[in-house]
Amino acid sequence: MSDQYDVVVIGGGPGGYVAAIRAAQLGLKTACVEARETLGGTCLNVGCIPSKALLHTSERYAELQHDMAEQGIKVSKAEIDVATMMARKDKVVQELTGGIAFLFKKNKVDHVKGFGSIPKPGEVAVKLNAGGEQTLQAKNIIIATGSESTPLPGVEVDEKRIVSSTGAIALDRVPKRMIVIGAGVIGLELGSVWSRLGAEVEVVEFLDRILPGMDAEICKQTQRILAKQGLKFHLGAKVTGAKANKSGVTLDVEPVKGGDAEQLKADIVLLAIGRRPYTEGLGLDALGVRKDNRGFIRVNEHFETGVPGVYAIGDCVPGPMLAHKAEDEGAICAEIIAGQSGHIDHNLVPGVVYTWPEVAGVGKTEEQLKEDGVDYKVGKFPFSANSRARCTGETDGVVKILADARTDKVLGCHIVGPLAGDLLAEAVLAMEFGGTAEDIARTSHSHPGMGEAVKEAALAVHGRPIHI
Ligand SMILES: Cc1cc2nc3c(=O)[nH]c(=O)nc-3n(C[C@H](O)[C@H](O)[C@H](O)COP(=O)(O)OP(=O)(O)OC[C@H]3O[C@@H](n4cnc5c(N)ncnc54)[C@H](O)[C@@H]3O)c2cc1C
């Protein structure tokens, strides 16, 4: 393998591998340096994919236990075999990470297994996993080193009793009691998995609401639905310390507003208070690459770091820490390097929580519009009035569309309900095209479909929903 490249990408996650494949498609000689043995980064190895595989299995299990009898399906006794569930999850991960290796071969991207650093512009030094070092000359370097879970002082993760998401997707048995620190996306998804499988799950959250950043009204409904499913919430509560021993973990918790501290006990504690950019060992300070006060690499809208030929994308730069955002940035960055143009609007990156029902949002929340002083209209439609949701029995939730009061342009769409993540796609597309609520309302939606709830919410923006 020649060590002279047009593009060297450091990090083989969704940002890095997409950047590498796109660069190669554009005729650039490309290598991707990845410290893990497998490609796919956090997302494929320990993030999106394994968590969704477990969400799927636990959802089917919960369905068998709670939703079959009323449909006349008799199930004598459903049991969960954790080892088989985990083996299936591992197989899904293995197949998908192997798929990226195949795509690298197909596109002639060189996969360098090792830890990369940037001693100077135009050069990437790799400590090879197999031993030894290799230096790659690179006209362009893309940093795509992603993120890691944020630690909490006083709560030491041992991945046995006190686990991060990585430990929580690999437990060997269903805990009797689990405490999740953090009511964000990861905490609620993995809390749901173990709750459905039989654990008593309590969620401790510093803020007085769940899913910070998402539309507050939608989140309130989500909390009610999850509480009905058995999740217990302690909001406005601060974890100040944790002690783990063989039998479990004791957490010290106190109200954020002041008041009596209490101790909560659990077999497993999941620390899920967010993720932070990971740029250790790259040599960024010496190179002159600047970071903001939260550790994200500073880039302009072309992903340039300010050091000639050095770009950064994905979770290690500002914006939503999501796989599809990293992928889009990877493709755009490669296209810019190849002399093309492109940009990403972070306001139009959808966010989805894969609980059941799902929670999904794009664009501005109602709180943001109020804060920005925007004159807006709201249209809402509940799934309880949607005929398809009636057929499937999935009537919890609502679609909410926010549109500019003067122009009718869609400014935001927020959904809690069945398949919310997929339903949101039409709102994302409408917003990308500068569409209006009227555009969505006038679009034909097949019947009976969950999508009709989106159409009706758009009609409701103008006060003319039909089915409510
Ligand atoms: C439990 C969990 C569930 C998630 N679910 C979702 C979801 O459903 N949907 C969604 O959109 N997002 C989800 N995410 C977030 C998603 O995983 C990230 O946003 C995404 O992986 C970011 O991609 P990236 O390429 O920027 O970084 P990463 O995927 O973190 O990849 C970075 C890679 O760089 C490698 N690396 C780091 N430093 C070096 C170095 N110096 N040399 C060589 N290699 C290096 C790392 O080993 C890693 O493989 C989830 C995350 C977690 C933890």
Side-chain angles (χ1 to χ4, degrees):
M1 162 193 323
S2 148
D3 292 348
Q4 198 81 37
Y5 290 95
D6 296 315
V7 178
V8 171
V9 184
I10 306 179
Y17 83 69
V18 169
I21 291 173
R22 187 71 190 113
Q25 282 178 345
L26 290 162
L28 301 170
K29 186 167 164 43
T30 306
C32 180
V33 181
E34 169 55 58
R36 277 192 172 91
E37 277 302 301
T38 50
L39 293 165
T42 303
C43 171
L44 269 64
N45 289 282
V46 291
C48 327
I49 297 303
S51 60
K52 265 80 256 177
L54 296 181
L55 278 157
H56 176 80
T57 301
S58 60
E59 222 166 86
R60 296 288 83 81
Y61 180 67
E63 210 175 9
L64 274 178
Q65 289 194 311
H66 308 298
D67 303 332
M68 292 292 125
E70 67 170 36
Q71 297 183 50
I73 301 173
K74 288 189 183 164
V75 180
S76 53
K77 189 171 184 294
E79 276 179 54
I80 187 73
D81 171 355
V82 174
T84 304
M85 174 182 75
M86 290 296 173
R88 174 187 173 273
K89 176 239 354 171
D90 292 340
K91 186 161 171 278
V92 172
V93 168
Q94 198 187 0
E95 285 168 355
L96 287 176
T97 56
I100 308 298
F102 165 79
L103 292 174
F104 270 20
K105 283 207 182 84
K106 181 181 160 204
N107 288 283
K108 301 192 173 47
V109 174
D110 289 337
H111 175 189
V112 182
K113 292 183 183 177
F115 192 90
S117 61
I118 313 172
K120 59 180 186 196
E123 197 170 297
V124 174
V126 187
K127 246 192 184 151
L128 298 167
N129 290 355
E133 299 210 352
Q134 187 179 353
T135 303
L136 311 177
Q137 305 300 326
K139 285 188 200 143
N140 302 281
I141 298 168
I142 302 177
I143 302 169
T145 48
S147 60
E148 60 181 357
S149 70
T150 306
L152 180 65
V155 182
E156 200 161 318
V157 170
D158 57 17
E159 298 296 11
K160 288 192 178 79
R161 289 277 175 203
I162 304 181
V163 297
S164 70
S165 55
T166 302
I169 57 165
L171 299 181
D172 60 2
R173 74 195 70 168
V174 180
K176 191 166 163 358
R177 287 196 71 196
M178 180 182 228
I179 295 178
V180 179
I181 308 177
V185 181
I186 294 174
L188 294 189
E189 287 186 356
L190 295 177
S192 287
V193 166
W194 293 108
S195 160
R196 291 165 185 166
L197 298 179
E200 289 167 35
V201 175
E202 296 185 37
V203 183
V204 182
E205 166 60 50
F206 184 87
L207 298 174
D208 58 4
R209 54 162 296 175
I210 66 167
L211 298 172
M214 297 190 87
D215 188 88
E217 184 186 16
I218 293 291
C219 292
K220 260 202 186 126
Q221 254 207 56
T222 305
Q223 187 184 334
R224 272 201 300 274
I225 297 168
L226 293 179
K228 257 194 323 195
Q229 292 172 11
L231 261 67
K232 201 170 155 195
F233 291 93
H234 303 264
L235 301 183
K238 180 164 73 170
V239 173
T240 55
K243 273 193 206 81
N245 58 32
K246 271 191 194 144
S247 62
V249 187
T250 306
L251 276 190
D252 296 318
V253 181
E254 55 186 60
V256 172
K257 287 189 179 142
D260 292 341
E262 62 174 327
Q263 289 198 322
L264 299 176
K265 290 185 194 301
D267 323 54
I268 298 286
V269 167
L270 162 60
L271 179 64
I273 57 166
R275 295 185 61 80
R276 64 180 186 185
Y278 178 79
T279 56
E280 291 294 304
L282 286 169
L284 296 189
D285 290 343
L287 191 65
V289 168
R290 289 181 312 136
K291 292 187 266 182
D292 67 16
N293 56 5
R294 296 173 62 210
F296 291 97
I297 296 175
R298 285 180 194 269
V299 285
N300 64 13
E301 59 179 13
H302 292 140
F303 309 105
E304 291 165 323
T305 61
V307 175
V310 179
Y311 301 78
I313 56 164
D315 272 12
C316 66
V317 303
M321 296 174 90
L322 292 168
H324 42 288
K325 175 263 195 186
E327 289 187 38
D328 289 349
E329 290 187 344
I332 297 167
C333 185
E335 286 162 6
I336 287 172
I337 288 172
Q340 301 182 357
S341 59
H343 80 285
I344 182 167
D345 181 352
H346 287 162
N347 182 48
L348 297 187
V349 174
V352 180
V353 190
Y354 292 89
T355 47
W356 193 264
E358 293 177 356
V359 192
V362 66
K364 302 287 184 197
T365 62
E366 195 167 354
E367 298 71 64
Q368 285 169 331
L369 292 179
K370 278 191 184 136
E371 205 178 302
D372 296 347
V374 176
D375 194 9
Y376 65 92
K377 282 189 177 163
V378 189
K380 286 188 251 182
F381 191 80
F383 283 96
S384 55
N386 172 273
S387 54
R388 184 68 185 278
R390 284 275 173 192
C391 294
T392 62
E394 295 155 321
T395 49
D396 278 338
V398 65
V399 179
K400 173 174 176 179
I401 292 180
L402 302 163
D404 189 284
R406 194 175 55 84
T407 64
D408 195 38
K409 232 173 130 170
V410 179
L411 302 175
C413 179
H414 308 278
I415 307 175
V416 51
L419 301 176
D422 291 320
L423 294 180
L424 189 72
E426 75 165 298
V428 179
L429 194 65
M431 290 172 73
E432 276 286 0
F433 289 179
T436 60
E438 185 73 14
D439 290 328
I440 296 178
R442 294 268 171 205
T443 300
S444 183
H445 287 69
S446 46
H447 173 80
M450 303 286 186
E452 287 176 295
V454 179
K455 177 184 173 119
E456 291 272 6
L459 283 166
V461 168
H462 306 127
R464 55 181 222 268
I466 300 293
H467 292 94
I468 199 162

